[in-house]
Amino acid sequence: MSEPEVLMEGIVFGESPRWHDGQLWFSDWGAHQVIALDPGGGHEVAATVASFPMCIDFLPDGRLLVVDSAQRRLLRRESDGSLVQHADLSGISDKPWNDIVADDRGNVYVNGIGFDFPGGEFAPGLVVLVTPDGHVAQVAGDLAFPNGMAITPGGGTLIVAESYGNRLTAYDIGSGGGLGDRRVWADTPGDHPDGICLDAEGAVWYADVGNRHCVRVREGGEVLATAGLDRGAFACALSRGQDPRLFVVGQFYGGPESPQPSGRVVAFPAPAPGAGRP
């Protein structure tokens, strides 16, 4: 794909991009901020949460959700800008909580990696379901570092990136939000998928930090396109409507520490707009 357009630089540790109301929202984990970025490059800080990780998504009514991993809880941003507890995750796991996706009914899926990263001994991760009334229950387990998640249009399937499993894993979503019929949606040999998003043609884009690219795959694993970066690609999101763009948050990672923040948001022209959730 063509060289990307750079929309924003100076990000400490960017993650969890979401297209919402014509803007790209993402978390700067290093600065403990949630940022709303206009496609033209202007931005504002929408929320501040002293946590790491702190992935985000939106309820059907537009309210922002933030994973406060440090406090093992899910926060909700009210219309007046205040942050309140949406759910308590501490009863399920005291290990880091990671990605989040909400469906059209207000059910929310949050995954936990299952071990202390980096440096901790590997243990399998899990996914919990948070219902609209705040009830939390585990609905999946035995995942090899669960990362990005997405829900297909119509709400029938949850796709989870297993970074240590080199694959995208799918589940059927039941009428009550439970998960079943686990299966491999696509193997990603040699890649460790991180953040993901779905497009209107049924393909998944996944970001890969070590290989510095985003890859578009069809169910079954056929590679349709690759977007290369000059630094680690942590997560991606697609705009909706005409002239779609693939937004990628990335930074240098795993080498000598940069004296200045190396995080940036870039945009590529995309073959299809976003679909499903987030």
Side-chain angles (χ1 to χ4, degrees):
M1 295 179 67
S2 61
E3 287 295 309
E5 175 187 2
V6 178
L7 298 180
M8 184 175 175
E9 298 194 88
I11 300 161
V12 182
F13 195 111
E15 259 282 14
S16 195
R18 301 288 189 263
W19 183 256
H20 178 70
D21 281 350
Q23 292 183 304
L24 184 77
W25 294 60
F26 69 95
S27 294
D28 185 342
W29 290 2
H32 307 301
Q33 296 175 338
V34 178
I35 296 170
L37 174 64
D38 184 271
H43 69 276
E44 63 176 351
V45 176
T48 300
V49 180
S51 190
F52 190 111
M54 46 175 293
C55 291
I56 63 170
D57 201 16
F58 294 87
L59 288 167
D61 63 9
R63 286 179 294 175
L64 173 70
L65 295 172
V66 182
V67 177
D68 181 359
S69 186
Q71 300 299 322
R72 312 297 189 249
R73 61 182 178 170
L74 183 59
L75 299 175
R76 184 182 70 244
R77 183 175 180 264
E78 300 291 68
S79 57
D80 63 0
S82 62
L83 291 169
V84 300
Q85 181 167 294
H86 187 74
D88 180 2
L89 307 174
S90 63
I92 303 292
S93 174
D94 63 357
K95 300 303 181 184
W97 292 92
N98 195 18
D99 207 16
I100 176 176
V101 62
D103 72 10
D104 292 330
R105 299 173 293 178
N107 288 323
V108 180
Y109 298 90
V110 187
N111 64 40
I113 66 174
F115 65 102
D116 293 318
F117 177 85
E121 182 178 354
F122 171 79
L126 52 82
V127 178
V128 298
L129 167 66
V130 180
T131 58
D133 62 2
H135 177 70
V136 182
Q138 182 175 334
V139 289
D142 197 27
L143 290 158
F145 201 138
N147 232 314
M149 295 192 293
I151 296 173
T152 56
T157 303
L158 175 74
I159 301 173
V160 183
E162 290 190 77
S163 294
Y164 281 12
N166 309 99
R167 60 180 173 254
L168 303 175
T169 296
Y171 298 89
D172 288 345
I173 299 176
S175 59
L179 302 180
D181 188 24
R182 176 175 176 163
R183 59 199 181 275
V184 175
W185 196 89
D187 286 311
T188 62
D191 277 359
H192 304 283
D194 197 324
I196 67 173
C197 60
L198 281 157
D199 73 21
E201 296 179 355
V204 167
W205 282 97
Y206 68 80
D208 182 285
V209 177
N211 290 308
R212 297 186 173 187
H213 62 201
C214 288
V215 179
R216 184 178 185 236
V217 294
R218 200 188 307 278
E219 185 174 6
E222 179 188 359
V223 173
L224 303 174
T226 301
L229 280 79
D230 65 349
R231 62 200 70 196
F234 279 76
C236 50
L238 286 159
S239 64
R240 309 294 172 110
Q242 295 183 334
D243 301 320
R245 294 202 286 176
L246 176 75
F247 299 97
V248 185
V249 290
Q251 48 263 327
F252 293 115
Y253 185 79
E257 187 171 341
S258 173
Q260 300 295 328
S262 67
R264 58 168 45 170
V265 176
V266 302
F268 295 88
R277 296 183 67 98

